[in-house]
Amino acid sequence: MERVCRGLYIGRFQPYHMGHSQVLQVIAGSVDEVIIGIGSAQRSHQKSDPFTAGERVLMVSRAVEELGIKTYIIPIEDVHRNSLWVSHVKSLTPPFEVVYSNNPLVKELFHEAGIEVVETPLFNRERYSGKRIRRLMLSDDEGWKDLVPTSVLRVIDEIDGVGRLRRISGSDDSREVHSEVSEMRP
Ligand code: NAP
């Protein structure tokens, strides 16, 4: 029986956008199946992480349906020890041969664990960025709607995601919790 080659693509997807879809299509050209790790799964209701893991699972699963790629979508909470993170990820996901990431810490941790890491291409980064989308949402600029797949737009509407982002952005609870992990937040 032929061995299935799986790749892991990990990101926070706050929210999932067209840039992520383009990366996924490139990855799908190199592996049989893609594991999508929803990073920082414990985070939500914060200015830089407004959506829950469940909401992000919904966004990603609806968007990949349209792409026709075989995927496994797995929420992954952060752990407070970087040295244990790769084992933590492996304990939650189906086996994989290669990791796709541009994040220096992610690359280093998988490299040290002897797992192949491939850099993902950057697609129109000025336009497609989670940070930019959250900023447009906060400034009442409808332009963000062109930057996410229609399926994701529907999820954000269903959960009143923009309303939440605006409400929490003024509260103390929306501040970053400082930890080893938040040091790497853009
Ligand atoms: P991230 O913190 O979600 O994103 C970092 C930046 O890279 C974001 O601006 C993101 O943009 C951008 N980016 C991601 N993929 C890109 C691509 N293909 N092209 C262009 N820009 C891209 O980090 P991440 O690497 O995507 O996700 C890593 C996850 O692993 C995080 O949740 C992190 O907390 C977790 N982690 C945890 C530990 C631990 O628990 N000890 C250790 C290492 C990593 P967008 O916002 O537009 O996606």
Side-chain angles (χ1 to χ4, degrees), residues 9-12 17 20 23 39-40 78-79 81-82 85 101-103 105-106 109 120-122 125 128-131 181 184-186:
Y9 176 38
I10 189 154
R12 283 175 21 254
H17 55 65
H20 298 130
V23 171
S40 304
D78 293 325
V79 291
R81 285 189 190 204
N82 284 333
W85 186 66
S101 179
N102 291 332
N103 182 313
L105 177 60
V106 170
L109 295 176
T120 53
L122 304 169
R125 193 60 190 143
Y128 300 123
S129 128
K131 195 173 185 175
V181 171
M184 57 180 278
R185 193 79 63 241

Side-chain angles (χ1 to χ4, degrees), residues 8-157:
L8 171 68
Y9 176 38
I10 189 154
R12 283 175 21 254
F13 307 111
Q14 289 282 10
Y16 180 95
H17 55 65
M18 304 283 211
H20 298 130
S21 279
Q22 286 175 318
V23 171
L24 258 180
Q25 286 175 81
V26 172
I27 295 173
S30 312
V31 293
D32 302 308
E33 299 180 346
V34 186
I35 302 160
I36 303 176
I38 310 275
S40 304
Q42 80 285 2
R43 286 177 169 261
S44 72
H45 297 79
Q46 292 176 310
K47 204 171 165 183
S48 58
D49 292 274
F51 306 114
T52 66
E55 290 161 351
R56 289 178 276 157
V57 166
L58 206 53
M59 290 178 204
V60 178
S61 54
R62 294 216 183 138
V64 296
E65 247 171 49
E66 295 163 1
L67 297 178
I69 300 170
K70 174 70 185 164
T71 53
Y72 303 90
I73 302 165
I74 318 270
I76 301 172
E77 291 192 10
D78 293 325
V79 291
H80 288 284
R81 285 189 190 204
N82 284 333
S83 57
L84 298 181
W85 186 66
V86 170
S87 307
H88 169 66
V89 171
K90 285 170 75 180
S91 75
L92 295 169
T93 60
F96 54 87
E97 284 71 44
V98 53
V99 175
Y100 294 89
S101 179
N102 291 332
N103 182 313
L105 177 60
V106 170
K107 287 194 294 185
E108 178 62 22
L109 295 176
F110 278 107
H111 172 74
E112 286 183 17
I115 296 168
E116 184 188 357
V117 182
V118 174
E119 293 215 357
T120 53
L122 304 169
F123 286 105
N124 204 344
R125 193 60 190 143
E126 302 73 45
R127 186 166 159 78
Y128 300 123
S129 128
K131 195 173 185 175
R132 173 161 184 251
I133 291 170
R134 295 190 299 272
R135 209 170 41 227
L136 291 172
M137 286 173 165
L138 274 176
S139 60
D140 225 351
D141 185 330
E142 300 265 304
W144 70 268
K145 294 186 174 177
D146 299 328
L147 309 179
V148 300
T150 314
S151 51
V152 171
L153 180 58
R154 282 201 206 101
V155 174
I156 294 172
D157 271 353

